[in-house]
Amino acid sequence: MSDNGQKDVQVILCDMCAEEDRKPARKTCMKCEISMCVQHLQAHLTTPVLLQTHPLTEPMALCGTTKCAQHGKLLEYYCLDDMTCVCVSCAIEDQHRLHNMKTFSTAHKDLMEKLKAEQKALLVKTDDENVSLEKWEKSEREKLGRSSVRLIEAVTNLRDISLTSIQSSVSARMVSIKTSKSSMQAAQNEKDTFRFLQMYSQVHQDVEKAKAVDLRKGLEPGSERDKLVQEIRQNGEKMVNQAGQFWEALLSLVDPENHQELFATDSDLIFKPQFFGPSMSMSGDNRKVFYNSWMGQCAATLLIRSTKSVPNYQRWLVRLPEESDWIIGLCNKTSAENLRDGPVYALCCKDNQLSSLTTEYDDCCDSSTNSKGIGLQTGNMTKPEKKCKVSSALITHQGGKEDEALPRPEMVEVYWSFVASSLSFFRRTGQHQREEILTIKMSLNNWDLAPFVQLGKESAQNSSDGSQSQWRCPCGISHNRDAYRHNRSMSQQSQRPKCSCGEIIGGRCITEMVCELR
């Protein structure tokens, strides 16, 4: 180190000068592995053979790094693909023979230009990022500021209402204490015995009344207190909601992966029924599914269709039934009516237990096979067997016991990444809170996949024996629902047909929403 604190530059000396008079080197010959001063460099500069075959570089200290460790030859080229120096054997015979090769001087020039271009691009990006960062910081500050202001206003309002009411009540109770003090002072100032004795009875009453006063007591029972309690509850609920929003906003700021803000499903997504049981109906906007209990089992398969294309991902949010079984995920569009006939990537809820379901088929095989994977004959030729791999696993708490199943979610957010070829399922529990349930990595294939939801048991949809039409009364008599389904306008219980025992056929009528695109 020099006196000014800067690191001294190493001076390379000529290897051909006498030891006692070595001059600074001007160039280093990579082939000769020596450094030369101006005088000793002349031979390399004036001899054509040396000039063409002996590469010269700026003076450098050689430590045995100028030759290839594998072939023992001089390093003369630079491999741009592997970013390493190679010899002529590496370049034309071994692993680098098909790579982009350059001489040292050309590689140095090209890489220097590339480095300058990257530096310029990085400066532009840095400037853009600074602008974006400023906008992001301003936006987040404003959003959190609004949440905190609303929270402070709610807390302040609740505090003022409570304190004002209590203050009025305490002031009213203080009157008794002030009255007792005045009475006692007047009695103590009275010198006449007869007058004092006449006053004492009233003074005693005032003192007892004052002693009974409890300043820590709330409002006196009555309509005013009931009204205030109701107002405090309403304002308190608002305050709790605002505090929750502020809290969730902070969580989404520091942990966006697990606390993403809840956005509604795009309005272009709608349900398109593939199988619809007689007990099922749909809203006019095709985003809500209803179930009428007296019409049979809850059974439906619905594709989720979009009127626009999304290049990188698709996301949807579904509210699911609280009791019925369901499957949600991706299936092949042509096999939606029978999921066993095509690939499926899904999250299942059966008997209140969550599990993953993956059914994959070989892309190379023709789809004209049955659900058992047996080839179908066409003319004199037999189609190859379609290989199917089915995977299913119960989903349990992470780090928990194996038999501790994950509870069924009420609302599921599904994220389909086209780029990553993955399908993720999240449980939504709040405006910003979500918990990952499952992520499925899909194999790349040529199948035409589409989002779907299946409600009810698969056996109910594939049943062909008419069992759904039969309803067995508690008295033991069986009735055919189809005989009564023609009159769907009978909404009132009293208008519905009854069994001979008096029980309404099909059971008590309950119509409920079982599925919704949120």
Side-chain angles (χ1 to χ4, degrees), residues 5 26 43 58 139 185 209 249 339 346 409:
R26 288 294 301 273
E58 294 301 314
S139 174
Q185 188 64 42
K209 189 175 181 180
L339 299 180

Side-chain angles (χ1 to χ4, degrees), residues 72 84-85 99 181 197 215 225 246 279 323 351 355 381 406 418 429 434 454 460:
T84 185
C85 299
H99 291 184
K181 287 183 177 181
L197 294 175
L215 297 179
R225 187 180 71 174
F246 180 68
S279 61
E323 297 181 359
D351 299 328
S355 62
M381 298 181 64
L406 205 66
F418 305 151
T429 56
R434 73 175 188 175
Q454 184 182 89

Side-chain angles (χ1 to χ4, degrees), residues 185-197 199:
Q185 188 64 42
Q188 291 173 358
N189 293 336
E190 182 58 56
K191 304 300 181 183
D192 186 79
T193 302
F194 180 72
R195 289 179 180 276
F196 172 81
L197 294 175
M199 295 171 59

Side-chain angles (χ1 to χ4, degrees), residues 422-482:
S422 64
L423 186 66
S424 298
F425 301 88
F426 301 89
R427 178 199 309 273
R428 294 303 311 214
T429 56
Q431 181 63 25
H432 293 80
Q433 292 176 279
R434 73 175 188 175
E435 174 189 353
E436 182 176 352
I437 301 174
L438 171 69
T439 293
I440 299 175
K441 295 294 291 185
M442 300 180 292
S443 62
L444 298 177
N445 52 55
N446 298 321
W447 293 95
D448 192 8
L449 298 176
F452 81 97
V453 176
Q454 184 182 89
L455 304 175
K457 296 182 181 297
E458 187 177 5
S459 58
Q461 303 189 50
N462 298 325
S463 175
S464 59
D465 59 2
S467 60
Q468 291 189 69
S469 300
Q470 298 296 318
W471 179 79
R472 186 176 181 84
C473 182
C475 70
I477 301 177
S478 295
H479 298 272
N480 192 332
R481 286 192 178 96
D482 292 336

